[in-house]
Amino acid sequence: MEQQPTAVPAFGDPAGAIETVFRIESPRVIAGVARIVRDVGIAEELAQDALVAALEQWPRDGVPGNPGAWLMATAKHRAIDLVRRRERYARKLAEVGRDLEAAPYHVDDPADPDDIDDDLLRLVFTACHPVLSAESRIALTLRLLGGLTTVEIARAYLVPEATVAQRIVRAKRTLASKGVAFEVPYGPGREARLGSVLEVIYLIFNEGYAATYGDDLLRPALCEDALRLARVLAELMPKEPEVHGLASLLEFQASRTAARTGPKGEPVLLRDQNRARWNRMLIARGITALGRADAVSTGAPGPYALQAAIAACHAHAHTYEETDWARIAALYGLLAARSPSPVVELNRAVAVSMAEGPGPALEIVDRLAAEPALRDYHLLPSVRGDLLARLGRMAEARTEFERAARLARNERERELLEARAEECRRPGGGDPA
């Protein structure tokens, strides 16, 4: 399928529009340049150089027909110049130079989608090399491939921003000093990195599915990249159940995208979504991938397969009321035992509230209040506010929704939470006698 050129948004601020295009295209540019220089840190710097060139030239000369290809060509040309200047890259220059001269890269030509997929996959596996700690692998790949800022990564992992920044800097230095190859490994080497690769793809999708920052709830380009990478991995590693489990989960989640926002971009809660807008083809793909995960599994299902099974429960329900909440709560119980975390437990509380009522769920949520990792997590007071409202404790619910709104960094989520807090002020909204 032919890759479509990236369009520059019609913003009033040209620099802001260019930076938006760069954020979308930077993973592909970094991956393409890393194949030349074999150093992800240098590749990121060259991509930033291409952004600076765009900020200087586009306002003066006009936006090129294919901005993404322009950025790629500019970064690659600078990479080749760098290779020529450094004697230690002489051998690589001879190989790369011959390839580029045989098939010159034209600015207005769309990039080869297969080539992009391969480069992105190489970038993921390179950044997830075992010489790095698990935390550093994930932080670096989210920065390079997902285009996430240190703030967004810190938010996803509930750790300080300074910690994330240090992990990224050290990771790039380590990869360079160890001479890690820019490649997709085979055999045991691939299996050793698989857990980190799956986690990174999952987190990239999540950032696209519910953006941490900004005015928009969704960042579709991130979802598309993550889903494509999951599908590629499923073809490369057909006997790995968790690869199919992740692919299934992302297919199910992506199937709801069109129904998750209203006409003005406002969030639409699951219970209010028009399920006729759910993508049945993606749901069918999710069911198939989940079946493959089950077929190749030799033991208990892993975390991604369990989450896919939960998503399948939603996909099979024609209405919100038909949802099998008891099964979802049970699956979350298995997930909590298999991969315990405060966020999983919070999700389990939501399912318990639907299966058994808000009272038992509130007990679970109240136990989570002391979790340091959830101290600034806006969904904790959001869920607690919903449970209190269902129990008729409107004044307390309002306080929780207001706190959640203060913690939310996405403008759309903040507006929704403020609206829910306002609903608790309506007549009859006080605590019952």
Side-chain angles (χ1 to χ4, degrees), residues 86-376:
R86 300 172 71 166
E87 290 183 0
R88 66 189 180 91
Y89 285 127
R91 239 177 239 179
K92 296 176 185 177
L93 170 62
E95 298 171 2
V96 172
R98 283 195 298 271
D99 291 343
L100 290 175
E101 287 175 8
Y105 192 95
H106 298 293
V107 171
D108 291 327
D109 289 345
D112 180 352
D114 294 331
D115 187 55
I116 286 175
D117 284 344
D118 288 345
D119 283 346
L120 287 177
L121 205 56
R122 289 188 188 100
L123 181 58
V124 175
F125 273 97
T126 300
C128 289
H129 196 281
V131 298
L132 305 177
S133 68
E135 295 84 0
S136 295
R137 298 176 205 172
I138 292 166
L140 179 61
T141 313
L142 287 174
R143 177 74 186 95
L144 298 179
L145 184 71
L148 275 64
T149 65
T150 54
V151 174
E152 291 166 342
I153 299 169
R155 183 77 167 178
Y157 266 86
L158 308 176
V159 296
E161 294 171 29
T163 300
V164 172
Q166 290 172 357
R167 287 174 183 171
I168 292 171
V169 170
R170 289 172 184 167
K172 288 190 284 190
R173 287 176 181 167
T174 300
L175 290 177
S177 64
K178 299 291 184 181
V180 172
F182 184 68
E183 63 181 6
V184 177
Y186 295 90
R190 180 182 292 175
E191 294 171 5
R193 303 186 211 179
L194 183 58
S196 292
V197 169
L198 294 179
E199 186 168 6
V200 163
I201 293 174
Y202 175 63
L203 289 172
I204 290 171
F205 183 92
N206 280 351
E207 180 59 28
Y209 194 71
T212 305
Y213 278 94
D215 296 330
D216 298 320
L217 180 69
L218 306 177
R219 293 171 61 185
L222 288 182
C223 291
E224 291 166 8
D225 276 344
L227 184 54
R228 184 172 65 248
L229 288 171
R231 290 170 179 170
V232 171
L233 271 184
E235 294 299 321
L236 286 174
M237 310 183 75
K239 296 183 179 180
E240 289 288 343
E242 276 292 79
V243 172
H244 295 297
L246 177 63
S248 174
L249 173 61
L250 301 194
E251 300 280 9
F252 282 131
Q253 297 292 76
S255 72
R256 305 181 206 161
T257 300
R260 293 188 64 241
T261 54
K264 298 180 180 179
E266 70 277 13
V268 179
L269 297 175
L270 180 63
R271 65 169 178 259
D272 300 322
Q273 288 176 16
N274 178 2
R275 300 193 175 207
R277 300 189 67 196
W278 287 8
N279 189 313
R280 307 313 298 183
M281 181 189 73
L282 293 180
I283 289 174
R285 292 182 66 107
I287 293 170
T288 299
L290 186 56
R292 288 174 181 161
D294 291 338
V296 299
S297 178
T298 57
Y304 296 113
L306 286 169
Q307 291 179 77
I310 291 168
C313 291
H314 292 295
H316 286 305
H318 295 293
T319 66
Y320 186 76
E321 291 71 26
E322 293 178 18
T323 306
D324 189 348
W325 289 106
R327 174 167 170 73
I328 291 176
L331 288 168
Y332 267 120
L334 293 175
L335 181 61
R338 181 76 169 77
S339 184
S341 82
V343 174
V344 169
E345 193 67 4
L346 183 61
N347 286 330
R348 187 176 78 85
V350 174
V352 167
S353 77
M354 300 305 299
E356 303 176 21
L362 185 60
E363 295 178 7
I364 299 173
V365 172
D366 285 345
R367 288 197 295 270
L368 293 172
E371 284 285 347
L374 298 182
R375 183 182 59 187
D376 297 323

Side-chain angles (χ1 to χ4, degrees), residues 8-22 51 54-60 62-63:
V8 177
F11 296 159
D13 176 16
I18 294 169
E19 289 177 6
T20 298
V21 171
F22 180 77
L51 170 62
L55 288 168
E56 292 173 349
Q57 296 180 36
W58 293 4
R60 181 189 67 223
V63 178

